[in-house]
Amino acid sequence: MPYHQIVGIAKSYDCQLFEDVYETLRKAHFFGFPQCILSASRKDYLLKQIEKFDILDYVDSVHGIENIYASSKKELARKYVESCSLEDEIWFVGDSIHDYEVANTLKANCILVTTGHQSRQKLERVDAIIADSLLESLEIIYETN
């Protein structure tokens, strides 16, 4: 395995959750909003992180790359949406312009949070709702429904 992959794996397990993640997941669960984790990371890594942070009870499904020939994040998202009911309203909460692009591909509502990979200034370049935290994103979704 190349060095950069080993470092990436090690660092992925060292990452921390933002402080409002648990409260956001608990509230979303209370409101009856299904939660899906969708990532371009390997699914086995995601599952280990979910186990580490003890959030599996709040997550309805996990979608990640399952092999080196796996499809893109857009393809993972498309497959997830195909499993949803036509009446389902889908909100895609992300932290990058690429997440906005994925949401647009799905014709999903999109909220970008400023606490992740890209700055507010970069996120404001696209036509998405911007939130300063995951909890704020949940409040926006709740007020919209």
Side-chain angles (χ1 to χ4, degrees):
M1 182 181 302
Y3 174 75
H4 69 279
Q5 287 182 322
I6 294 170
V7 172
I9 293 167
K11 286 187 176 191
S12 73
Y13 297 132
D14 289 338
C15 71
Q16 298 299 313
L17 295 177
F18 290 106
E19 63 182 53
D20 65 344
V21 168
Y22 291 106
E23 183 179 2
T24 303
L25 288 172
R26 279 192 296 271
K27 284 187 175 184
H29 185 75
F30 176 80
F31 294 148
F33 296 162
Q35 298 298 297
C36 163
I37 294 178
L38 180 108
S39 175
S41 296
R42 284 182 36 175
K43 187 172 182 177
D44 56 335
Y45 298 169
L46 288 172
L47 292 171
K48 287 179 183 175
Q49 289 171 325
I50 290 166
E51 181 180 334
K52 172 186 171 184
F53 293 115
D54 195 29
I55 58 173
L56 188 58
D57 289 344
Y58 300 105
V59 177
D60 298 282
S61 61
V62 179
H63 305 271
I65 304 299
E66 296 198 35
N67 62 62
I68 62 171
Y69 304 108
S71 26
S72 68
K73 192 173 188 177
K74 286 181 183 179
E75 187 57 34
L76 290 170
R78 265 194 216 102
K79 287 179 183 176
Y80 171 72
V81 169
E82 287 173 3
S83 72
C84 297
S85 166
L86 291 175
E87 294 83 36
D88 289 343
E89 183 174 3
I90 298 172
W91 286 84
F92 195 103
V93 179
D95 63 0
S96 70
I97 291 173
H98 180 63
D99 290 331
Y100 170 77
E101 293 166 349
V102 173
N104 275 348
T105 299
L106 305 173
K107 296 182 172 65
N109 300 299
C110 182
I111 299 176
L112 298 177
V113 292
T114 60
T115 54
H117 287 320
Q118 294 183 315
S119 68
R120 172 181 276 280
Q121 183 179 19
K122 284 187 180 179
L123 298 177
E124 287 177 340
R125 294 180 188 162
V126 297
D127 185 31
I129 299 168
I130 307 293
D132 290 317
S133 69
L134 287 172
L135 194 54
E136 182 183 349
S137 72
L138 180 62
E139 291 167 359
I140 292 166
I141 294 168
Y142 182 75
E143 290 171 3
T144 307
N145 285 304

